[in-house]
Amino acid sequence: HIPLLSSSSMKTSLLLLPGWSDLPLDLLELISDRLSSDTVDLLCLRSVCATWRLSIPPSHNKNLLSKFPKHLPFWSSSSSGVFILKESSVYKLEAPKKSWLVKLQETSPGKMRVLDLFSNDKISFLPDNFPEKIDLQEFHARLVRRAYRMEYANNGGAETSCFWSLRSDKVVILSSGEDSAVMAIHSGGKLGFLKSGNYERWRVLGDSWNVMYDDIMAHGENCIVVDDKGKTVIYDVDFEVSDLAEGLAGGGGHKKHLLEYSGGGEVLLVDKYVKHVWCKSAFSKSAVEFRVYKLNREEKRWEEVRELGDVALFVGDDCSFSVRIPAGDLAGGCIFYRDYRNGGRSKGICSNGEGVFNVELPDAGKSWVSY
């Protein structure tokens, strides 16, 4: 038999329930360890009460960047320069009647810099309707995608040959237990890696000397890589490789981008077709068409997708991602990207402008617009 409590007894029992501030510290530590890789989640956790704020440090050493030295070697061993590994995160800030996508880089514990979604340019000023303060008790912050890049730093030696790119926006960190590695696409589309315990020199993977790789994406504890023809493979943390898909018919377009479909975990390929356009007394590349493909793992091929439904795709320099859009919103079924044709400031952002392409229009190849 289940004993029944009177309403007065229930009220007394509820009053005697311990508050969140009385949570045992060892249990609180376990919770914070689960969230230690995400700064915003830690901020939310620390904001619950004063006791939690004092008990939980503003940052942990479990961030993936902490597994690597501060300075990584440059592509060429003859250069005195080094690479600095940096991380940024894309969040969806959701309020009752409005939501925003924000790309943040932590510059010091608890302090953030807002970056352009499609690149890593610092935003000069925010939109007029963006909140002056972000109260994490009023906004729900959801991590959409984490991105990594490497930036060159000269240690006072000779200038580096222009043959080598001084940065890489195509970087993935692999981590499984005690094993960790950095994989990156560098100059000439080659695929290089550094493995834990050996950070002295980049090594080129497999037949990378004969292939031009376009994009790289973390997928669970593995890494998916696509070349300029659409052929796609997957690597694990031990660099064991398996084929995922053959290339596209005729090689497809000019630039391939990998991303995960929002909510479903399916792997998508966005193929961008570009042409040279006249912009500010110089020629630059501008997108003229996009095609989207879904990975068919069983048949190891890419299948073209004609409809995206209530999902929007964002194609960036260092990462691409998808976001589910409220039903009826015009952004559903669109691809947002960096448009080099604009060639200047756009909406107060220090970048080359943004464009939007609707996948579902019958003449989608011609019906795109910059904003």
Side-chain angles (χ1 to χ4, degrees):
H1 296 283
I2 300 175
L4 299 176
L5 296 177
S6 65
S7 58
S8 59
S9 299
M10 292 180 66
K11 290 180 180 178
T12 303
S13 300
L14 289 173
L15 290 174
L16 295 176
L17 287 176
W20 285 110
S21 59
D22 297 323
L23 192 73
L25 293 181
D26 55 344
L27 184 57
L28 180 60
E29 184 178 356
L30 289 174
I31 296 173
S32 65
D33 284 346
R34 291 291 187 96
L35 304 176
S36 60
S37 63
D38 187 74
T39 301
V40 171
D41 281 346
L42 277 178
L43 289 174
C44 292
L45 192 66
R46 297 179 76 239
S47 68
V48 170
C49 62
T51 302
W52 287 22
R53 185 172 182 84
L54 292 173
S55 303
I56 304 172
S59 62
H60 285 277
N61 292 324
K62 292 192 175 182
N63 186 290
L64 287 179
L65 294 185
S66 65
K67 294 191 173 188
F68 302 94
K70 181 179 179 181
H71 293 156
L72 298 177
F74 188 59
W75 303 128
S76 171
S77 58
S78 61
S79 171
S80 62
V82 295
F83 274 133
I84 298 177
L85 190 60
K86 297 190 176 183
E87 177 188 87
S88 57
S89 302
V90 177
Y91 293 93
K92 186 179 182 182
L93 297 179
E94 299 174 327
K97 296 183 179 180
K98 192 75 173 179
S99 62
W100 292 267
L101 286 173
V102 184
K103 189 175 187 180
L104 301 176
Q105 177 187 331
E106 189 173 15
T107 55
S108 59
K111 293 188 177 181
M112 304 286 188
R113 171 182 294 165
V114 183
L115 303 177
D116 178 16
L117 276 179
F118 305 99
S119 67
N120 295 299
D121 298 331
K122 182 180 177 181
I123 289 185
S124 56
F125 56 89
L126 297 171
D128 294 336
N129 63 345
F130 194 81
E132 294 183 3
K133 295 181 180 180
I134 298 176
D135 187 342
L136 294 178
Q137 294 182 338
E138 297 180 6
F139 288 84
H140 174 64
R142 181 174 66 84
L143 178 66
V144 176
R145 194 72 181 172
R146 189 169 281 120
Y148 299 94
R149 69 187 188 277
M150 297 187 302
E151 294 185 355
Y152 177 80
N154 196 321
N155 279 351
E159 290 297 321
T160 303
S161 169
C162 61
F163 172 78
W164 299 101
S165 172
L166 298 184
R167 62 185 291 167
S168 176
D169 291 321
K170 304 295 186 181
V171 180
V172 162
I173 293 180
L174 298 179
S175 181
S176 179
E178 297 299 320
D179 295 327
S180 56
V182 179
M183 297 182 68
I185 298 176
H186 66 81
S187 301
K190 309 310 172 191
L191 185 63
F193 74 94
L194 294 170
K195 193 169 174 62
S196 54
N198 185 6
Y199 298 120
E200 297 178 357
R201 181 172 63 87
W202 287 92
R203 300 179 183 274
V204 175
L205 276 167
D207 61 351
S208 181
W209 291 113
N210 304 315
V211 180
M212 292 279 290
Y213 286 102
D214 264 3
D215 202 9
I216 185 171
M217 179 185 74
H219 187 66
E221 293 184 348
N222 301 317
C223 174
I224 298 178
V225 191
V226 62
D227 68 17
D228 61 343
K229 306 299 181 185
K231 180 175 173 58
T232 310
V233 297
I234 186 169
Y235 285 91
D236 62 20
V237 72
D238 294 319
F239 302 109
E240 296 293 328
V241 62
S242 303
D243 291 337
L244 281 184
E246 295 299 321
L248 300 174
H254 301 89
K255 189 68 175 179
K256 313 290 189 291
H257 298 270
L258 292 166
L259 55 89
E260 290 182 347
Y261 189 76
S262 179
E266 293 178 297
V267 178
L268 299 183
L269 176 69
V270 177
D271 196 14
K272 180 167 63 178
Y273 292 74
V274 301
K275 70 176 182 179
H276 287 85
V277 295
W278 186 255
C279 176
K280 289 196 171 182
S281 304
F283 279 106
S284 65
K285 292 181 179 179
S286 179
V288 293
E289 184 180 354
F290 289 89
R291 294 182 184 177
V292 181
Y293 301 85
K294 179 178 68 174
L295 178 63
N296 185 326
R297 287 185 178 242
E298 292 185 1
E299 299 182 13
K300 294 188 176 182
R301 65 186 181 90
W302 291 108
E303 297 178 344
E304 188 167 3
V305 176
R306 297 288 186 176
E307 295 183 357
L308 296 176
D310 59 351
V311 171
L313 309 183
F314 294 79
V315 175
D317 290 345
D318 58 350
C319 76
S320 300
F321 55 91
S322 63
V323 174
R324 194 163 294 280
I325 303 297
D329 194 301
L330 294 178
C334 290
I335 299 174
F336 295 84
Y337 63 98
R338 194 177 192 185
D339 179 20
Y340 292 87
R341 188 189 66 160
N342 284 350
R345 293 174 181 261
S346 175
K347 288 194 170 182
I349 300 174
C350 297
S351 70
N352 288 317
E354 293 74 50
V356 56
F357 181 96
N358 193 320
V359 176
E360 300 173 8
L361 292 179
D363 54 347
K366 298 178 182 179
S367 300
W368 64 272
V369 60
S370 299
Y371 69 92

